[in-house]
Amino acid sequence: MAYKPPKQSFAGQIFDVITLLVLTVGALYLPLYLGLAGAAKTPAPIANPTWEALGQNATEQQQWAALGITDPAAANDIITARFDYSFSWMALLVMAVLVIGYFVLVVRLSDREYRDVIAERFGAKKK
């Protein structure tokens, strides 16, 4: 007898897809929205910048021109921006708890699903 998995309705499939899409987009954008990830730059622009004041030589100026930026004022924010490398032990702890919690959740749910599929396919385990 061939195994026939249970059928899921079309509405159930659409619900699953939308749920996964929302969770994926949320997982990608929530840290950015909360300011927990990303470039976190602190610009220190120079007033009335010149290529020399920005520390750009002739070759670098040509590369900026190749990118379509010929005015030093347009490159000022990009060149003078600095990354914020501050560190928070609390943020690390929260992230570790979330990652470990997610891992435990996935393993437990996968174990339950695996056992359900095996029981459905082969019947209850006999002792």
Side-chain angles (χ1 to χ4, degrees):
M1 178 171 104
Y3 172 71
K4 293 185 182 184
K7 300 285 185 194
Q8 184 180 23
S9 69
F10 181 73
Q13 291 177 11
I14 295 297
F15 176 78
D16 286 349
V17 168
I18 291 172
T19 301
L20 288 174
L21 183 64
V22 167
L23 289 174
T24 301
V25 171
L28 293 173
Y29 283 107
L30 188 62
L32 293 173
Y33 180 73
L34 295 176
L36 300 173
K41 297 177 184 176
T42 308
I46 299 171
N48 301 321
T50 62
W51 288 117
E52 292 75 26
L54 293 171
Q56 304 296 300
N57 61 31
T59 304
E60 291 168 330
Q61 292 174 35
Q62 289 175 352
Q63 294 302 315
W64 282 107
L67 292 172
I69 299 174
T70 56
D71 181 25
N76 188 16
D77 289 341
I78 300 169
I79 294 171
T80 58
R82 300 292 177 253
F83 287 94
D84 179 14
Y85 291 105
S86 60
F87 182 80
S88 167
W89 284 103
M90 183 57 78
L92 177 67
L93 181 64
V94 168
M95 186 57 64
V97 167
L98 288 174
V99 168
I100 291 169
Y102 176 75
F103 177 75
V104 169
L105 177 74
V106 167
V107 168
R108 291 197 54 146
L109 291 176
S110 296
D111 179 59
R112 188 175 304 146
E113 288 287 328
Y114 175 75
R115 291 181 189 279
D116 287 347
V117 169
I118 294 299
E120 185 178 318
R121 175 68 174 100
F122 298 107
K125 185 177 180 182
K126 297 177 185 176
K127 292 185 178 185

mmCIF file of all heavy atoms in Angstrom, residues 12-53:
data_model
loop_
_atom_site.group_PDB
_atom_site.id
_atom_site.type_symbol
_atom_site.label_atom_id
_atom_site.label_comp_id
_atom_site.label_asym_id
_atom_site.label_seq_id
_atom_site.Cartn_x
_atom_site.Cartn_y
_atom_site.Cartn_z
ATOM 1 N N GLY A 12 -5.351 26.873 3.347
ATOM 2 C CA GLY A 12 -4.302 26.574 4.315
ATOM 3 C C GLY A 12 -2.916 26.838 3.750
ATOM 4 O O GLY A 12 -2.034 27.355 4.449
ATOM 5 N N GLN A 13 -2.726 26.494 2.478
ATOM 6 C CA GLN A 13 -1.444 26.752 1.821
ATOM 7 C C GLN A 13 -1.193 28.257 1.706
ATOM 8 O O GLN A 13 -0.083 28.726 1.962
ATOM 9 C CB GLN A 13 -1.418 26.106 0.442
ATOM 10 C CG GLN A 13 -1.375 24.597 0.481
ATOM 11 C CD GLN A 13 -1.422 23.990 -0.911
ATOM 12 O OE1 GLN A 13 -1.289 24.676 -1.906
ATOM 13 N NE2 GLN A 13 -1.614 22.684 -0.973
ATOM 14 N N ILE A 14 -2.211 29.020 1.316
ATOM 15 C CA ILE A 14 -2.074 30.478 1.203
ATOM 16 C C ILE A 14 -1.753 31.075 2.569
ATOM 17 O O ILE A 14 -0.879 31.934 2.696
ATOM 18 C CB ILE A 14 -3.360 31.110 0.614
ATOM 19 C CG1 ILE A 14 -3.578 30.634 -0.830
ATOM 20 C CG2 ILE A 14 -3.311 32.626 0.682
ATOM 21 C CD1 ILE A 14 -2.482 31.038 -1.791
ATOM 22 N N PHE A 15 -2.456 30.621 3.604
ATOM 23 C CA PHE A 15 -2.191 31.098 4.962
ATOM 24 C C PHE A 15 -0.749 30.801 5.371
ATOM 25 O O PHE A 15 -0.067 31.662 5.936
ATOM 26 C CB PHE A 15 -3.166 30.458 5.953
ATOM 27 C CG PHE A 15 -2.896 30.839 7.377
ATOM 28 C CD1 PHE A 15 -3.286 32.076 7.854
ATOM 29 C CD2 PHE A 15 -2.245 29.963 8.231
ATOM 30 C CE1 PHE A 15 -3.030 32.444 9.165
ATOM 31 C CE2 PHE A 15 -1.983 30.317 9.540
ATOM 32 C CZ PHE A 15 -2.378 31.567 10.010
ATOM 33 N N ASP A 16 -0.267 29.605 5.093
ATOM 34 C CA ASP A 16 1.112 29.236 5.423
ATOM 35 C C ASP A 16 2.120 30.125 4.699
ATOM 36 O O ASP A 16 3.093 30.587 5.285
ATOM 37 C CB ASP A 16 1.387 27.773 5.079
ATOM 38 C CG ASP A 16 0.741 26.806 6.061
ATOM 39 O OD1 ASP A 16 0.256 27.266 7.117
ATOM 40 O OD2 ASP A 16 0.722 25.594 5.772
ATOM 41 N N VAL A 17 1.890 30.370 3.417
ATOM 42 C CA VAL A 17 2.807 31.196 2.626
ATOM 43 C C VAL A 17 2.835 32.623 3.156
ATOM 44 O O VAL A 17 3.907 33.212 3.330
ATOM 45 C CB VAL A 17 2.419 31.159 1.130
ATOM 46 C CG1 VAL A 17 3.161 32.234 0.352
ATOM 47 C CG2 VAL A 17 2.697 29.787 0.545
ATOM 48 N N ILE A 18 1.663 33.181 3.418
ATOM 49 C CA ILE A 18 1.602 34.557 3.931
ATOM 50 C C ILE A 18 2.261 34.643 5.306
ATOM 51 O O ILE A 18 3.012 35.577 5.586
ATOM 52 C CB ILE A 18 0.144 35.062 3.963
ATOM 53 C CG1 ILE A 18 -0.355 35.255 2.537
ATOM 54 C CG2 ILE A 18 0.024 36.352 4.760
ATOM 55 C CD1 ILE A 18 -1.831 35.566 2.420
ATOM 56 N N THR A 19 2.012 33.663 6.161
ATOM 57 C CA THR A 19 2.628 33.646 7.494
ATOM 58 C C THR A 19 4.144 33.595 7.381
ATOM 59 O O THR A 19 4.852 34.356 8.059
ATOM 60 C CB THR A 19 2.111 32.451 8.307
ATOM 61 O OG1 THR A 19 0.688 32.547 8.426
ATOM 62 C CG2 THR A 19 2.736 32.422 9.696
ATOM 63 N N LEU A 20 4.663 32.715 6.545
ATOM 64 C CA LEU A 20 6.119 32.606 6.378
ATOM 65 C C LEU A 20 6.700 33.887 5.781
ATOM 66 O O LEU A 20 7.785 34.326 6.181
ATOM 67 C CB LEU A 20 6.469 31.405 5.500
ATOM 68 C CG LEU A 20 6.259 30.053 6.156
ATOM 69 C CD1 LEU A 20 6.488 28.930 5.139
ATOM 70 C CD2 LEU A 20 7.178 29.876 7.348
ATOM 71 N N LEU A 21 5.994 34.493 4.849
ATOM 72 C CA LEU A 21 6.452 35.744 4.244
ATOM 73 C C LEU A 21 6.518 36.860 5.290
ATOM 74 O O LEU A 21 7.511 37.589 5.380
ATOM 75 C CB LEU A 21 5.548 36.138 3.081
ATOM 76 C CG LEU A 21 5.950 37.378 2.311
ATOM 77 C CD1 LEU A 21 7.300 37.163 1.631
ATOM 78 C CD2 LEU A 21 4.898 37.721 1.275
ATOM 79 N N VAL A 22 5.472 36.986 6.099
ATOM 80 C CA VAL A 22 5.444 38.015 7.143
ATOM 81 C C VAL A 22 6.554 37.771 8.158
ATOM 82 O O VAL A 22 7.256 38.704 8.574
ATOM 83 C CB VAL A 22 4.056 38.067 7.823
ATOM 84 C CG1 VAL A 22 4.091 38.876 9.109
ATOM 85 C CG2 VAL A 22 3.018 38.616 6.865
ATOM 86 N N LEU A 23 6.745 36.519 8.568
ATOM 87 C CA LEU A 23 7.802 36.209 9.534
ATOM 88 C C LEU A 23 9.187 36.488 8.958
ATOM 89 O O LEU A 23 10.070 37.001 9.657
ATOM 90 C CB LEU A 23 7.696 34.746 9.979
ATOM 91 C CG LEU A 23 6.504 34.415 10.873
ATOM 92 C CD1 LEU A 23 6.424 32.917 11.113
ATOM 93 C CD2 LEU A 23 6.581 35.173 12.179
ATOM 94 N N THR A 24 9.393 36.174 7.686
ATOM 95 C CA THR A 24 10.692 36.407 7.059
ATOM 96 C C THR A 24 10.987 37.897 6.947
ATOM 97 O O THR A 24 12.065 38.359 7.324
ATOM 98 C CB THR A 24 10.740 35.759 5.660
ATOM 99 O OG1 THR A 24 10.504 34.354 5.805
ATOM 100 C CG2 THR A 24 12.082 35.972 5.007
ATOM 101 N N VAL A 25 10.030 38.647 6.433
ATOM 102 C CA VAL A 25 10.226 40.092 6.301
ATOM 103 C C VAL A 25 10.391 40.721 7.683
ATOM 104 O O VAL A 25 11.247 41.588 7.886
ATOM 105 C CB VAL A 25 9.058 40.734 5.516
ATOM 106 C CG1 VAL A 25 9.127 42.239 5.562
ATOM 107 C CG2 VAL A 25 9.081 40.243 4.073
ATOM 108 N N GLY A 26 9.603 40.277 8.631
ATOM 109 C CA GLY A 26 9.725 40.785 9.992
ATOM 110 C C GLY A 26 11.081 40.494 10.593
ATOM 111 O O GLY A 26 11.689 41.352 11.245
ATOM 112 N N ALA A 27 11.587 39.290 10.380
ATOM 113 C CA ALA A 27 12.904 38.923 10.920
ATOM 114 C C ALA A 27 14.011 39.744 10.282
ATOM 115 O O ALA A 27 15.023 40.032 10.917
ATOM 116 C CB ALA A 27 13.154 37.433 10.697
ATOM 117 N N LEU A 28 13.828 40.150 9.032
ATOM 118 C CA LEU A 28 14.845 40.946 8.354
ATOM 119 C C LEU A 28 14.776 42.423 8.720
ATOM 120 O O LEU A 28 15.810 43.076 8.864
ATOM 121 C CB LEU A 28 14.713 40.780 6.837
ATOM 122 C CG LEU A 28 15.042 39.388 6.296
ATOM 123 C CD1 LEU A 28 14.694 39.312 4.816
ATOM 124 C CD2 LEU A 28 16.492 39.053 6.526
ATOM 125 N N TYR A 29 13.564 42.965 8.866
ATOM 126 C CA TYR A 29 13.423 44.399 9.064
ATOM 127 C C TYR A 29 13.274 44.837 10.517
ATOM 128 O O TYR A 29 13.565 45.975 10.842
ATOM 129 C CB TYR A 29 12.242 44.940 8.253
ATOM 130 C CG TYR A 29 12.593 45.080 6.804
ATOM 131 C CD1 TYR A 29 12.091 44.211 5.862
ATOM 132 C CD2 TYR A 29 13.456 46.085 6.385
ATOM 133 C CE1 TYR A 29 12.434 44.338 4.527
ATOM 134 C CE2 TYR A 29 13.803 46.205 5.051
ATOM 135 C CZ TYR A 29 13.288 45.332 4.134
ATOM 136 O OH TYR A 29 13.624 45.444 2.831
ATOM 137 N N LEU A 30 12.813 43.949 11.394
ATOM 138 C CA LEU A 30 12.625 44.338 12.786
ATOM 139 C C LEU A 30 13.928 44.797 13.446
ATOM 140 O O LEU A 30 13.942 45.842 14.109
ATOM 141 C CB LEU A 30 11.971 43.203 13.579
ATOM 142 C CG LEU A 30 11.544 43.551 14.997
ATOM 143 C CD1 LEU A 30 10.491 44.663 14.970
ATOM 144 C CD2 LEU A 30 10.996 42.327 15.692
ATOM 145 N N PRO A 31 15.049 44.074 13.288
ATOM 146 C CA PRO A 31 16.296 44.581 13.889
ATOM 147 C C PRO A 31 16.714 45.942 13.327
ATOM 148 O O PRO A 31 17.233 46.781 14.059
ATOM 149 C CB PRO A 31 17.329 43.505 13.529
ATOM 150 C CG PRO A 31 16.535 42.277 13.301
ATOM 151 C CD PRO A 31 15.244 42.747 12.715
ATOM 152 N N LEU A 32 16.474 46.174 12.041
ATOM 153 C CA LEU A 32 16.799 47.472 11.460
ATOM 154 C C LEU A 32 15.880 48.557 12.021
ATOM 155 O O LEU A 32 16.323 49.652 12.349
ATOM 156 C CB LEU A 32 16.683 47.424 9.940
ATOM 157 C CG LEU A 32 17.709 46.547 9.219
ATOM 158 C CD1 LEU A 32 17.371 46.464 7.740
ATOM 159 C CD2 LEU A 32 19.100 47.085 9.427
ATOM 160 N N TYR A 33 14.597 48.237 12.129
ATOM 161 C CA TYR A 33 13.624 49.198 12.637
ATOM 162 C C TYR A 33 13.920 49.567 14.090
ATOM 163 O O TYR A 33 13.766 50.712 14.496
ATOM 164 C CB TYR A 33 12.212 48.614 12.510
ATOM 165 C CG TYR A 33 11.132 49.520 13.016
ATOM 166 C CD1 TYR A 33 10.752 50.649 12.303
ATOM 167 C CD2 TYR A 33 10.488 49.251 14.218
ATOM 168 C CE1 TYR A 33 9.760 51.490 12.771
ATOM 169 C CE2 TYR A 33 9.502 50.087 14.694
ATOM 170 C CZ TYR A 33 9.128 51.203 13.964
ATOM 171 O OH TYR A 33 8.156 52.026 14.433
ATOM 172 N N LEU A 34 14.363 48.592 14.885
ATOM 173 C CA LEU A 34 14.671 48.836 16.293
ATOM 174 C C LEU A 34 16.061 49.417 16.504
ATOM 175 O O LEU A 34 16.456 49.711 17.623
ATOM 176 C CB LEU A 34 14.531 47.538 17.088
ATOM 177 C CG LEU A 34 13.121 46.953 17.158
ATOM 178 C CD1 LEU A 34 13.134 45.619 17.877
ATOM 179 C CD2 LEU A 34 12.177 47.922 17.852
ATOM 180 N N GLY A 35 16.821 49.547 15.415
ATOM 181 C CA GLY A 35 18.167 50.112 15.518
ATOM 182 C C GLY A 35 19.176 49.141 16.088
ATOM 183 O O GLY A 35 20.215 49.542 16.619
ATOM 184 N N LEU A 36 18.905 47.838 16.002
ATOM 185 C CA LEU A 36 19.810 46.830 16.544
ATOM 186 C C LEU A 36 20.807 46.321 15.518
ATOM 187 O O LEU A 36 21.721 45.580 15.855
ATOM 188 C CB LEU A 36 19.001 45.641 17.090
ATOM 189 C CG LEU A 36 18.020 45.972 18.208
ATOM 190 C CD1 LEU A 36 17.176 44.759 18.544
ATOM 191 C CD2 LEU A 36 18.768 46.470 19.421
ATOM 192 N N ALA A 37 20.621 46.679 14.261
ATOM 193 C CA ALA A 37 21.504 46.189 13.211
ATOM 194 C C ALA A 37 21.689 47.284 12.170
ATOM 195 O O ALA A 37 21.036 48.315 12.205
ATOM 196 C CB ALA A 37 20.897 44.942 12.556
ATOM 197 N N GLY A 38 22.569 47.027 11.253
ATOM 198 C CA GLY A 38 22.781 47.984 10.173
ATOM 199 C C GLY A 38 24.055 48.769 10.366
ATOM 200 O O GLY A 38 24.860 48.502 11.249
ATOM 201 N N ALA A 39 24.213 49.780 9.558
ATOM 202 C CA ALA A 39 25.469 50.525 9.520
ATOM 203 C C ALA A 39 25.687 51.404 10.742
ATOM 204 O O ALA A 39 26.812 51.633 11.135
ATOM 205 C CB ALA A 39 25.522 51.375 8.259
ATOM 206 N N ALA A 40 24.646 51.913 11.358
ATOM 207 C CA ALA A 40 24.746 52.770 12.548
ATOM 208 C C ALA A 40 25.862 53.795 12.401
ATOM 209 O O ALA A 40 26.754 53.886 13.219
ATOM 210 C CB ALA A 40 24.958 51.910 13.791
ATOM 211 N N LYS A 41 25.816 54.577 11.329
ATOM 212 C CA LYS A 41 26.870 55.556 11.062
ATOM 213 C C LYS A 41 26.626 56.849 11.818
ATOM 214 O O LYS A 41 25.500 57.246 12.038
ATOM 215 C CB LYS A 41 26.957 55.844 9.573
ATOM 216 C CG LYS A 41 27.332 54.657 8.739
ATOM 217 C CD LYS A 41 27.339 55.005 7.277
ATOM 218 C CE LYS A 41 27.627 53.774 6.440
ATOM 219 N NZ LYS A 41 27.555 54.045 5.033
ATOM 220 N N THR A 42 27.688 57.476 12.184
ATOM 221 C CA THR A 42 27.637 58.799 12.800
ATOM 222 C C THR A 42 28.421 59.735 11.897
ATOM 223 O O THR A 42 29.644 59.805 11.989
ATOM 224 C CB THR A 42 28.259 58.767 14.207
ATOM 225 O OG1 THR A 42 27.656 57.718 14.948
ATOM 226 C CG2 THR A 42 28.051 60.084 14.918
ATOM 227 N N PRO A 43 27.747 60.440 10.983
ATOM 228 C CA PRO A 43 28.486 61.272 10.045
ATOM 229 C C PRO A 43 29.130 62.480 10.744
ATOM 230 O O PRO A 43 28.599 63.031 11.675
ATOM 231 C CB PRO A 43 27.445 61.721 9.037
ATOM 232 C CG PRO A 43 26.137 61.458 9.653
ATOM 233 C CD PRO A 43 26.329 60.447 10.737
ATOM 234 N N ALA A 44 30.310 62.816 10.247
ATOM 235 C CA ALA A 44 31.042 63.998 10.724
ATOM 236 C C ALA A 44 31.429 64.814 9.495
ATOM 237 O O ALA A 44 32.592 64.834 9.097
ATOM 238 C CB ALA A 44 32.268 63.571 11.502
ATOM 239 N N PRO A 45 30.446 65.471 8.862
ATOM 240 C CA PRO A 45 30.730 66.161 7.600
ATOM 241 C C PRO A 45 31.652 67.365 7.787
ATOM 242 O O PRO A 45 31.708 67.968 8.849
ATOM 243 C CB PRO A 45 29.357 66.597 7.108
ATOM 244 C CG PRO A 45 28.518 66.661 8.334
ATOM 245 C CD PRO A 45 29.062 65.631 9.277
ATOM 246 N N ILE A 46 32.357 67.692 6.726
ATOM 247 C CA ILE A 46 33.246 68.848 6.686
ATOM 248 C C ILE A 46 32.492 69.980 6.003
ATOM 249 O O ILE A 46 31.867 69.777 4.964
ATOM 250 C CB ILE A 46 34.537 68.509 5.904
ATOM 251 C CG1 ILE A 46 35.282 67.372 6.593
ATOM 252 C CG2 ILE A 46 35.423 69.731 5.743
ATOM 253 C CD1 ILE A 46 36.436 66.822 5.783
ATOM 254 N N ALA A 47 32.556 71.170 6.594
ATOM 255 C CA ALA A 47 31.891 72.326 5.977
ATOM 256 C C ALA A 47 32.659 72.737 4.726
ATOM 257 O O ALA A 47 33.884 72.816 4.735
ATOM 258 C CB ALA A 47 31.829 73.485 6.970
ATOM 259 N N ASN A 48 31.958 73.007 3.649
ATOM 260 C CA ASN A 48 32.559 73.386 2.360
ATOM 261 C C ASN A 48 33.703 72.448 1.970
ATOM 262 O O ASN A 48 34.854 72.867 1.876
ATOM 263 C CB ASN A 48 33.051 74.838 2.407
ATOM 264 C CG ASN A 48 31.936 75.798 2.727
ATOM 265 O OD1 ASN A 48 30.826 75.636 2.246
ATOM 266 N ND2 ASN A 48 32.224 76.787 3.559
ATOM 267 N N PRO A 49 33.406 71.184 1.751
ATOM 268 C CA PRO A 49 34.471 70.218 1.497
ATOM 269 C C PRO A 49 35.137 70.383 0.130
ATOM 270 O O PRO A 49 34.512 70.826 -0.831
ATOM 271 C CB PRO A 49 33.754 68.877 1.574
ATOM 272 C CG PRO A 49 32.354 69.188 1.160
ATOM 273 C CD PRO A 49 32.089 70.578 1.675
ATOM 274 N N THR A 50 36.399 70.032 0.084
ATOM 275 C CA THR A 50 37.139 69.915 -1.174
ATOM 276 C C THR A 50 37.670 68.491 -1.212
ATOM 277 O O THR A 50 37.703 67.798 -0.191
ATOM 278 C CB THR A 50 38.310 70.903 -1.228
ATOM 279 O OG1 THR A 50 39.216 70.591 -0.176
ATOM 280 C CG2 THR A 50 37.829 72.344 -1.089
ATOM 281 N N TRP A 51 38.090 68.067 -2.391
ATOM 282 C CA TRP A 51 38.647 66.721 -2.492
ATOM 283 C C TRP A 51 39.879 66.593 -1.596
ATOM 284 O O TRP A 51 40.088 65.554 -0.972
ATOM 285 C CB TRP A 51 38.992 66.380 -3.935
ATOM 286 C CG TRP A 51 37.796 66.146 -4.811
ATOM 287 C CD1 TRP A 51 37.420 66.875 -5.894
ATOM 288 C CD2 TRP A 51 36.802 65.122 -4.665
ATOM 289 N NE1 TRP A 51 36.265 66.375 -6.437
ATOM 290 C CE2 TRP A 51 35.863 65.285 -5.701
ATOM 291 C CE3 TRP A 51 36.611 64.090 -3.771
ATOM 292 C CZ2 TRP A 51 34.762 64.460 -5.860
ATOM 293 C CZ3 TRP A 51 35.505 63.257 -3.914
ATOM 294 C CH2 TRP A 51 34.601 63.446 -4.957
ATOM 295 N N GLU A 52 40.661 67.617 -1.500
ATOM 296 C CA GLU A 52 41.871 67.575 -0.672
ATOM 297 C C GLU A 52 41.502 67.484 0.814
ATOM 298 O O GLU A 52 42.120 66.739 1.575
ATOM 299 C CB GLU A 52 42.748 68.809 -0.921
ATOM 300 C CG GLU A 52 43.389 68.855 -2.300
ATOM 301 C CD GLU A 52 42.396 69.237 -3.411
ATOM 302 O OE1 GLU A 52 41.376 69.918 -3.129
ATOM 303 O OE2 GLU A 52 42.628 68.821 -4.562
ATOM 304 N N ALA A 53 40.490 68.264 1.241
ATOM 305 C CA ALA A 53 40.055 68.222 2.642
ATOM 306 C C ALA A 53 39.485 66.851 3.005
ATOM 307 O O ALA A 53 39.589 66.414 4.152
ATOM 308 C CB ALA A 53 39.017 69.302 2.908
#
